[in-house]
Amino acid sequence: MNHAVTGYPFSAIVGQPLLKEALLLCAVDPGIGGVLVRGDKGTAKSTAARGLTQVLPPIARIGGCVFNCAPGQLAQACSVCNGAQDAAAIEAEVPFVTLPLGATEDRVLGALDLQQALQGGQRAFQPGLLAAAHRGILYIDEVNLLADHLVDVLLDVAAMGVNSVQREGLSISHPARFTLIGTMNLEEGDLRPQLLDRFGLMVEVTAPTDKSVRAEVVRRRIAYEAGPAAFNTQWQPQQEGLRAQVAQAQRLLPEVALDDAMLELISHLCCEFEVASLRADIVMHKTARALAALEARTRVTPDDVRAAAMLVLPHRRRRKPFEQAGMDQDKLDDLVDQARQPQPPQDSGDSDEGSQSAPPESSDGEQQEQQQEQQQEQQQDEQGEGGQQTFAVAATGAARKISVAATPNTSAASASGRRSAVADASRGSALRAVPDANPDRLAVGATLRSAALRGALAGEDSTQLTLTRADLHRQVRSGRGANLIVFVVDASGSMAAQRRMEAVKGAVLALLTDAYQRRDQLAVIAFRGEQAELLLAPTRSADLAEQGLRELPTGGRTPLPHALQLAAQMLQQSALQDAPPLLVILSDGRANVALPGSQGDPWQQTLEGAAVLAAQGVPALVLDTEAGYLRLGRAAQLAEVLGAPCLTLEQLTGDALALTVRAQLGAR
């Protein structure tokens, strides 16, 4: 087959051996489940994904079939294949379909064919992107920004391998088995755990640090842009070699054997690395066999299992938010080396002798006392070095569910999330259809029914459906939007008393967990010393917020007025206008530093700053960190000016009741 010269050649990519290997493994066995590629910008993630199709052997399909049906595996929904058992087969390239982040459900799943419905009054199915990707590759750039309703669709189809469409009077099912390839940048936030587990393999890519490698990358890219056809011709032999290698591996794969010893090693590794998903064992089994086939071998070795583990386990080890993904390679090497060595027979001698020769173990109580003594010594050393301390995060329960009441200013185009209700969202569940002469979201079924009913009443020909502007209907959807949550954290010296900063960090971590689960935007402002600082600019990465929080030192005075001023400025200048803000202040309110360049009263400036935020209608929540017998109640006064609820840290995590925070302009 003559492959068209399109795109940058896969074999010309410099470096990134693990990325290229993972993609080739999915080409050998599409049942692996695809690849998630995480890394910084400009590291050839998209280039490698798009170039994979150039080295894939062609597939046989039925000519004219929109579902890419294979000979002998015809889809009932296909008008070309239906009843045509002797349909002619052709040789075609493997489909490569890009799923845009802004795609609608109808475009992804398929919908009523409007043209046929208007011309002949027939209910025909117009296939979507999932049908086009069958037996091929479905590629999603920045997959971590994909809207939740599309993620739900992908989860259902990936689990069943079938796309079922039940809408607009249609009831259609067709096969949709594809290799899912996603690329993402961690700065924009992480994936939902359910979708993360659906990716069979994961690769972390970084930019090369060797100057000669970087120079070669630039040299090849400039040559490609100067003459794409000539550059592709130059790399054609390497492309053909890779294509032949993949084709041979696909033919050899059914003959590759993985014995019980290797299967036990796979399960042992999953247990040792505390991987909960059983999908990991299955994918490792498939990946190890694909590795052997790619190297033209028919037996899986421990090295194959180790290489498979490096691709399968890292993203599945993370079981909770903020648990760092990754692998302990030394531990992995030790476990694989143990599997290579013959196991000694079990000793059947007297167990008492072994217990007598074993060294005595210290009790749990003694170990805890030793740990407490070491912590106290470390704390004393830190206090002796200066006025700053870095406290750990205290363990805490889940935070109360905080919801922000919808206001007249809530945008219908809010960013996809799960916290704030949006009355008429651009995405979400369809509620109803309403007449609209200029709809932004056409309700196809209601529009056609209106036209058919009007035509029947007028005695028009039922085979000729005419459509007027009076028949148009708009689809009303109900959804939920994300919020921009701005944390203003008191890191002054008063937080060191009674180790209150540990509780503060624990409370923020509980709120970060809630924000991570609800796909919110996050920003962190910390204040101590002479002024406040923006610790984290608005981002969807809760991991970055958590990392900055853990490393936040405590000490110095309390510049609370500057923190409120900085928060107000950031909210005004933020470009995230589609994410309504929520201000969370954690402080005892004991302001003692005036605004920079000012000689005013710090507490009075604090109240004035709170009044400015209240006038802007910013929903707020104040968490009072004050403790001890002598309490000034400043945090409660601050909350009163803000018009915000005031809770203690214990009240935040003390029960499971929901807390509704209202914007001041909407509440008054």
Side-chain angles (χ1 to χ4, degrees):
M1 178 182 177
N2 184 20
H3 289 262
V5 178
T6 55
Y8 192 88
F10 185 85
S11 57
I13 297 174
V14 180
Q16 307 296 3
L18 199 60
L19 170 59
K20 292 188 287 187
E21 181 182 59
L23 292 172
L24 291 175
L25 290 174
C26 287
V28 174
D29 184 2
I32 286 175
V35 184
L36 174 64
V37 188
R38 302 197 309 188
D40 297 331
K41 301 175 288 292
T43 49
K45 301 188 298 295
S46 300
T47 301
R50 298 180 188 279
L52 178 62
T53 55
Q54 301 177 29
V55 298
L56 295 181
I59 61 173
R61 50 165 293 187
I62 303 299
C65 174
V66 295
F67 297 97
N68 297 316
C69 291
Q73 300 177 359
L74 308 182
Q76 295 181 355
C78 180
S79 58
V80 175
C81 300
N82 192 15
Q85 298 297 329
D86 298 329
I90 62 173
E91 197 176 69
E93 292 186 358
V94 174
F96 184 92
V97 177
T98 299
L99 196 161
L101 295 180
T104 63
E105 284 189 23
D106 289 346
R107 184 68 186 97
V108 176
L109 294 174
L112 181 70
D113 191 324
L114 187 59
Q115 182 177 1
Q116 291 193 34
L118 292 176
Q119 290 179 351
Q122 300 177 354
R123 288 184 299 183
F125 179 64
Q126 183 176 20
L129 297 178
L130 296 182
H134 179 51
R135 302 178 64 210
I137 295 172
L138 183 65
Y139 172 66
I140 310 174
D141 193 16
E142 302 295 345
V143 63
N144 51 326
L145 301 182
L146 192 66
D148 280 347
H149 69 288
L150 294 182
V151 172
D152 295 336
V153 167
L154 287 180
L155 289 175
D156 291 340
V157 176
M160 304 300 296
V162 175
N163 177 34
S164 297
V165 181
Q166 306 287 338
R167 58 177 60 191
E168 310 294 354
L170 292 173
S171 179
I172 299 292
S173 295
H174 66 82
R177 297 181 179 89
F178 45 80
T179 298
L180 185 62
I181 298 179
T183 58
M184 59 176 285
N185 185 342
L186 277 176
E187 293 179 356
E188 297 295 334
D190 210 342
L191 275 179
R192 283 173 54 182
Q194 296 90 340
L195 183 57
L196 186 64
D197 187 49
R198 284 292 172 185
F199 284 96
L201 313 178
M202 190 202 68
V203 179
E204 295 273 4
V205 295
T206 57
T209 56
D210 186 279
K211 62 180 182 181
S212 60
V213 176
R214 296 178 72 98
E216 182 62 20
V217 172
V218 175
R219 189 178 297 112
R220 294 186 187 181
R221 188 68 198 185
I222 296 300
Y224 169 75
E225 293 179 355
F231 188 82
N232 277 274
T233 301
Q234 176 186 351
W235 286 91
Q236 192 63 27
Q238 291 87 339
Q239 295 283 91
E240 293 293 342
L242 273 180
R243 189 178 298 111
Q245 182 183 3
V246 172
Q248 179 187 6
Q250 289 177 342
R251 292 190 297 268
L252 186 62
L253 183 63
E255 304 176 15
V256 176
L258 188 148
D259 57 31
D260 288 343
M262 294 299 98
L263 181 56
E264 290 181 1
L265 174 59
I266 288 174
S267 298
H268 181 58
L269 292 178
C270 292
C271 292
E272 286 294 322
F273 285 101
E274 300 180 353
V275 177
S277 173
L278 287 172
R279 188 173 288 111
D281 304 61
I282 299 173
V283 176
M284 280 184 65
H285 188 286
K286 294 180 178 180
T287 305
R289 294 180 65 242
L291 278 164
L294 196 60
E295 296 181 2
R297 292 183 283 106
T298 58
R299 184 165 294 277
V300 174
T301 67
D303 289 334
D304 295 328
V305 175
R306 184 197 180 281
M310 291 299 300
L311 295 170
V312 175
L313 297 185
H315 62 299
R316 291 186 169 88
R317 293 191 62 238
R318 176 173 171 164
R319 303 170 65 181
K320 297 179 181 179
F322 315 124
E323 285 185 346
Q324 297 301 316
M327 289 284 290
D328 185 343
Q329 295 193 24
D330 292 337
K331 179 180 178 180
L332 178 61
D333 291 337
D334 291 341
L335 293 173
V336 174
D337 290 340
Q338 292 175 12
R340 290 194 181 99
Q341 299 173 0
Q343 297 297 323
Q346 295 183 355
D347 187 8
S348 59
D350 189 0
S351 60
D352 291 337
E353 294 180 1
S355 62
Q356 291 176 0
S357 61
E361 297 182 356
S362 60
S363 65
D364 293 341
E366 292 176 350
Q367 292 180 355
Q368 292 177 359
E369 290 178 359
Q370 292 175 1
Q371 292 176 358
Q372 291 177 357
E373 291 177 358
Q374 293 174 358
Q375 291 175 357
Q376 291 176 358
E377 292 175 359
Q378 182 179 1
Q379 180 181 356
Q380 292 174 357
D381 293 340
E382 292 174 349
Q383 291 176 349
E385 291 174 358
Q388 293 185 4
Q389 302 179 58
T390 301
F391 289 97
V393 178
T396 183
R400 296 168 68 174
K401 301 302 181 183
I402 301 174
S403 61
V404 180
T407 69
N409 296 329
T410 302
S411 171
S414 296
S416 176
R418 301 179 184 175
R419 186 178 302 276
S420 299
V422 180
D424 190 8
S426 58
R427 299 171 179 173
S429 303
L431 293 179
R432 60 187 179 277
V434 297
D436 190 334
N438 188 26
D440 55 349
R441 298 183 299 276
L442 181 64
V444 178
T447 299
L448 294 179
R449 285 191 293 270
S450 175
L453 179 61
R454 179 183 49 77
L457 293 176
E460 298 177 357
D461 185 0
S462 61
T463 61
Q464 297 295 328
L465 190 65
T466 59
L467 195 66
T468 66
R469 187 170 292 276
D471 297 319
L472 299 180
H473 282 64
R474 178 173 60 90
Q475 197 172 59
V476 178
R477 292 181 176 270
S478 174
R480 305 194 73 83
N483 284 79
L484 169 60
I485 303 183
V486 181
F487 293 96
V488 179
V489 183
D490 189 344
S492 63
S494 62
M495 293 297 101
Q498 302 178 14
R499 308 184 68 89
R500 278 187 281 165
M501 197 59 188
E502 292 182 352
V504 169
K505 290 185 175 182
V508 177
L509 184 61
L511 291 169
L512 286 177
T513 302
D514 181 63
Y516 164 82
Q517 294 170 344
R518 299 186 180 218
R519 310 297 293 168
D520 286 320
Q521 309 276 355
L522 302 167
V524 179
I525 296 175
F527 59 99
R528 62 184 180 88
E530 296 302 319
Q531 61 183 6
E533 62 174 333
L534 181 60
L535 200 65
L536 180 68
T539 178
R540 293 191 71 170
S541 177
D543 286 338
L544 294 178
E546 187 267 348
Q547 181 180 356
L549 176 72
R550 289 186 183 275
E551 299 173 355
L552 177 63
T554 302
R557 305 176 72 190
T558 311
L560 180 54
H562 187 226
L564 297 181
Q565 183 185 69
L566 187 60
Q569 293 174 354
M570 189 193 67
L571 292 172
Q572 289 177 350
Q573 299 173 1
S574 174
L576 300 172
Q577 298 177 356
D578 57 350
L582 170 62
L583 183 65
V584 180
I585 302 174
L586 297 96
S587 176
D588 56 10
R590 299 186 180 185
N592 53 25
V593 178
L595 290 171
S598 170
Q599 300 297 325
D601 177 58
W603 176 239
Q604 188 60 36
Q605 291 179 346
T606 298
L607 298 179
E608 293 172 356
V612 171
L613 289 167
Q616 294 177 359
V618 177
L621 172 65
V622 178
L623 297 178
D624 187 359
T625 64
E626 195 171 30
Y629 294 103
L630 182 59
R631 301 193 181 191
L632 301 180
R634 292 282 180 86
Q637 298 178 43
L638 174 63
E640 183 178 358
V641 176
L642 286 168
C646 182
L647 303 177
T648 63
L649 301 183
E650 294 77 10
Q651 290 174 324
L652 175 68
T653 59
D655 53 55
L657 297 177
L659 175 65
T660 299
V661 179
R662 298 181 180 275
Q664 297 312 301
L665 293 180
R668 293 178 180 175

